[in-house]
Amino acid sequence: MLIWIPVDGNDEKRSKIVPQPEAGQWALVDFDLGEVQSVKFYESRDALGGEWVDFVILANKFENYMDFMNEGMMVLCVREEESIEDIMEAFKFKELDEIGL
């Protein structure tokens, strides 16, 4: 499955999640079989070219999420996680909060 995360840079180990307007890059995480398979970075979500993305993980529950829901994505937000690695670990164990119930 594919997961979007708005981040402040393009370093898989050092990038931190940020609110959408502050995103320098969008990390696209390929998560399968309980593990991160790959992480690719894009300047914008549109750069992916319309490929189906299953989830988006946002920095907080007050961000605009309706566009993602309209595209059929599940929207989650972090609790205290910041790095991609920590976020994906929380995702794996269902420790992220769902938005838009």
Side-chain angles (χ1 to χ4, degrees):
M1 73 180 65
L2 296 176
I3 303 167
W4 277 128
I5 304 172
V7 293
D8 60 1
N10 61 359
D11 184 321
E12 184 178 340
K13 300 290 183 194
R14 295 182 185 177
S15 294
K16 305 279 188 213
I17 190 169
V18 294
Q20 296 172 67
E22 298 173 25
Q25 298 277 311
W26 284 81
L28 184 67
V29 180
D30 183 358
F31 187 80
D32 196 22
L33 302 172
E35 294 183 15
V36 172
Q37 302 299 316
S38 68
V39 179
K40 296 179 184 170
F41 294 90
Y42 294 86
E43 297 272 333
S44 70
R45 292 189 318 114
D46 298 329
L48 187 60
E51 189 173 341
W52 179 263
V53 176
D54 303 284
F55 288 88
V56 63
I57 300 174
L58 302 176
N60 64 66
K61 64 182 177 181
F62 303 109
E63 290 194 64
N64 181 10
Y65 58 85
M66 288 307 296
D67 288 342
F68 301 111
M69 292 186 78
N70 289 338
E71 292 176 27
M73 291 181 225
M74 293 287 297
V75 183
L76 304 173
C77 71
V78 296
R79 294 178 183 169
E80 296 179 8
E81 301 80 12
E82 291 184 344
S83 70
I84 293 172
E85 184 178 343
D86 289 345
I87 292 167
M88 295 314 301
E89 191 72 14
F91 178 83
K92 181 178 178 177
F93 292 106
K94 301 183 186 315
E95 296 172 347
L96 299 174
D97 294 326
E98 190 170 344
I99 301 177
L101 293 175

